[in-house]
Amino acid sequence: MLGYIASMQKQLSEALSYRAQATAKNPTNAGIRYSYLGNLIECGHYAEAIASADREIALDEDSEWRSFTDSARFCKAYALYRLGRLDEATKEFAEVEDGEMWIDGRLTTKAAVLDEIARAKDRNR
């Protein structure tokens, strides 16, 4: 709860610290782990977010519903994009179903981020 409160107060570093502690204490709680993943992105810790998303995807494979896989893939693809790993981000987005997601302080869609990636690729040519 402290992580959520700090996040709502835009104290992202504090929220990340609280969520890291909560994740360590409750490693099987997917909701806490997913909140931590989102917080990593908000704080610009993209490499850590990719590793966290990979863990979420792997853990979710063992669940019947795989309720966090798509969101974790979206987060991973977004983090790859933010790191400038555009081709990898595009490939990861191919695994994400269409939809929208609240990420990095904004509501966005897969299509919108793919458009940003395409523009970034054009600038890099």
Side-chain angles (χ1 to χ4, degrees), residues 19-43:
R19 287 182 170 143
Q21 292 171 24
T23 300
K25 289 180 184 175
N26 303 290
T28 61
N29 186 311
I32 292 172
R33 291 190 324 263
Y34 181 70
S35 294
Y36 178 65
L37 171 57
N39 208 171
L40 285 168
I41 290 174
E42 290 174 327
C43 290

Side-chain angles (χ1 to χ4, degrees), residues 11-88:
Q11 298 170 341
L12 300 179
S13 294
E14 291 83 359
L16 185 61
S17 176
Y18 287 129
R19 287 182 170 143
Q21 292 171 24
T23 300
K25 289 180 184 175
N26 303 290
T28 61
N29 186 311
I32 292 172
R33 291 190 324 263
Y34 181 70
S35 294
Y36 178 65
L37 171 57
N39 208 171
L40 285 168
I41 290 174
E42 290 174 327
C43 290
H45 298 276
Y46 302 119
E48 291 175 61
I50 292 166
S52 180
D54 283 338
R55 283 190 300 274
E56 285 304 309
I57 293 164
L59 288 169
D60 215 26
E61 286 178 357
D62 294 334
S63 70
E64 181 179 354
W65 302 107
R66 295 190 175 145
S67 55
F68 288 97
T69 298
D70 205 51
S71 298
R73 286 196 183 283
F74 194 112
C75 289
K76 180 180 178 181
Y78 184 81
L80 287 164
Y81 155 62
R82 296 295 298 201
L83 286 173
R85 295 163 57 182
L86 305 178
D87 290 333
E88 291 174 78

Side-chain angles (χ1 to χ4, degrees), residues 70-71 74 93 95-103 106-114:
D70 205 51
S71 298
F74 194 112
F93 267 122
E95 300 295 323
V96 175
E97 292 185 23
D98 289 332
E100 59 189 26
M101 184 170 178
W102 188 267
I103 191 166
R106 65 188 174 126
L107 183 63
T108 192
T109 64
K110 172 184 172 179
V113 181
L114 283 171

